Amino acid sequence: MKRFSIISVISAFVMMLTAAGCSSEDEAEEIVIPIYETDEIDYRTEEAVVGDISQKYYADANFGYPYSETVSFSMSGTIESVNVADLDTVSKGDILCTLNSDELDSQLEEKEVYVEQAEKTLETLKESGGSATEIELAQTDLELLQLEYDYLEASRDNYNVYAPCDGVFKASNSTAFSSDISDQRGADVILVEGATVSASQSFGTIEDHSQEYLICDVYDITLENVNFGTRVTLTQTTDEATGKVVDIIEGDNSGMSQTTYVILPDEGSGLSDMTVSCCFEVYSKLDTVIVPSDAVKTSGDRSYVNLLIDGTKIEQDVEVGIVDGDETEITSGLSGGEQVIVN
């Protein structure tokens, strides 16, 4: 009986190992490697169309006075009177400053005596029957003296500084007070009576208010192809008008280049003194290939678009022309009708 039991145990153990082996083989046969299928890419495309495109620039402008005229002394001398203060409003022809003309007055008085004497001499010769030659010489002498007198009288204008236009007077930063003048009469006085000045010395400037313009300042960039006569669309809230560029002023502002575009609105524009949005209509091209600007990619000097052809994305090199916000002109590489990828 004992022997039978040992054999039975061994047989059972072998059967268990056999069963375990079969189970492992079955499990190995059931192992499956998963295959992940990707979703199809959903490209968003737009068609390259043939149409018209314009190059435009947008900037803000305000009404103002872009022009100023320099006021300076025509001759050296001593100031007799100052008739204007800084930021005074003046009219064309106003006398802003006068130089002392005592010396001129003396010369005029002397010349006037000579003229009167020449007149009397000519009158006497005519009345006393002087010869034709004597009368002719006296007439010539009188005319020369009269010309000298008129010349001196005309030079009186050189003693006055006149306003060249209507506007606002601004004192020159280079204007200085004479060191021996104590009566400066306040900081708003530019030069005082008795101060010595030299010919061509600046007295100040007049901001010309004879014509108001729209002033558009652009810093450190150039609006390419914006020239004299360029048309501008002007928008102010819900109002729209038109105008044109009448002047371009180059300058410098705190180390930055400044270009001022002077715009004259068309007659009857009806714009107020508030800020005006300007659209410079620079250049238009008809019947050209246009794609969304988002579709154009760049890599170094290379420009290209992605085309969707039979479900496949293909890069296509292109040459770019006018860029107008959301639209870009394609001058080479596309003929129109292609589906360009924009996402």
Side-chain angles (χ1 to χ4, degrees):
M1 292 293 294
K2 183 181 290 187
R3 183 181 176 185
F4 177 78
S5 297
I6 293 172
I7 293 173
S8 297
V9 171
I10 293 171
S11 297
F13 179 71
V14 172
M15 291 179 63
M16 288 177 61
L17 290 176
T18 302
C22 292
S23 175
S24 298
E25 290 177 3
D26 291 342
E27 289 179 0
E29 291 177 359
E30 292 176 0
I31 295 175
V32 178
I33 299 174
I35 299 175
Y36 297 99
E37 294 184 2
T38 59
D39 294 334
E40 183 178 352
I41 298 176
D42 183 19
Y43 291 114
R44 184 168 65 86
T45 64
E46 290 192 28
E47 184 179 350
V49 299
V50 176
D52 305 336
I53 191 170
S54 298
Q55 183 180 11
K56 300 176 183 177
Y57 294 106
Y58 298 89
D60 289 338
N62 291 281
F63 282 99
Y65 304 98
Y67 302 113
S68 295
E69 294 200 35
T70 300
V71 181
S72 57
F73 295 98
S74 299
M75 59 180 295
S76 300
T78 303
I79 291 180
E80 183 172 276
S81 65
V82 176
N83 308 318
V84 66
D86 193 26
L87 301 183
D88 273 357
T89 299
V90 299
S91 299
K92 183 177 181 179
D94 285 352
I95 298 177
L96 309 179
C97 181
T98 301
L99 299 181
N100 184 281
S101 60
D102 289 347
E103 183 178 352
L104 174 65
D105 293 339
S106 296
Q107 292 176 352
L108 282 169
E109 289 177 4
E110 181 180 357
K111 195 65 65 178
E112 186 176 14
V113 172
Y114 292 151
V115 170
E116 290 175 354
Q117 290 176 348
E119 289 175 342
K120 289 179 180 179
T121 299
L122 179 60
E123 185 83 16
T124 300
L125 287 172
K126 288 180 178 179
E127 291 177 354
S128 62
S131 66
T133 301
E134 290 175 329
I135 293 174
E136 184 178 356
L137 289 173
Q139 181 68 46
T140 301
D141 188 42
L142 173 60
E143 290 175 354
L144 290 174
L145 289 170
Q146 186 64 54
L147 286 172
E148 292 174 1
Y149 179 87
D150 293 343
Y151 174 79
L152 287 174
E153 183 63 39
S155 69
R156 188 181 293 278
D157 276 349
N158 294 330
Y159 290 78
N160 295 326
V161 178
Y162 294 95
C165 58
D166 295 343
V168 174
F169 175 75
K170 293 185 177 181
S172 171
N173 292 332
S174 63
T175 299
F177 291 100
S178 178
S179 60
D180 60 342
I181 300 298
S182 59
D183 179 20
Q184 296 185 5
R185 299 178 300 158
D188 61 341
V189 178
I190 309 309
L191 286 173
V192 297
E193 289 86 345
T196 300
V197 297
S198 58
S200 302
Q201 179 179 335
S202 175
F203 182 63
T205 59
I206 305 292
E207 185 179 73
D208 188 352
H209 284 201
S210 59
Q211 174 70 61
E212 191 175 38
Y213 299 90
L214 272 174
I215 302 173
C216 178
D217 291 323
V218 177
Y219 299 94
D220 279 347
I221 61 172
T222 300
L223 305 186
E224 295 182 2
N225 300 318
V226 175
N227 302 304
F228 295 92
T230 297
R231 298 298 299 173
V232 186
T233 299
L234 309 172
T235 305
Q236 191 178 69
T237 59
T238 59
D239 298 326
E240 186 172 292
T242 55
K244 63 180 178 180
V245 176
V246 295
D247 200 1
I248 300 174
I249 304 171
E250 302 288 347
D252 183 83
N253 190 320
S254 301
M256 296 187 297
S257 65
Q258 175 179 327
T259 305
T260 298
Y261 295 91
V262 182
I263 302 167
L264 180 64
D266 293 337
E267 188 175 353
S269 64
L271 299 172
S272 70
D273 290 336
M274 295 189 301
T275 298
V276 177
S277 297
C278 302
C279 173
F280 295 85
E281 301 173 9
V282 179
Y283 179 70
S284 296
K285 195 166 183 181
L286 308 179
D287 298 327
T288 189
V289 179
I290 303 170
V291 300
S293 295
D294 289 344
V296 181
K297 314 298 180 183
T298 57
S299 177
D301 294 333
R302 177 187 176 225
S303 296
Y304 66 94
V305 296
N306 290 314
L307 301 180
L308 188 63
I309 301 177
D310 295 331
T312 302
K313 182 177 77 170
I314 298 175
E315 288 186 2
Q316 173 64 46
D317 287 341
V318 295
E319 292 183 6
V320 174
I322 295 173
V323 178
D324 181 23
D326 296 335
E327 294 184 332
T328 296
E329 177 195 15
I330 303 300
T331 60
S332 176
L334 299 178
S335 59
E338 297 90 347
Q339 293 295 316
V340 294
I341 299 173
V342 294
N343 64 329

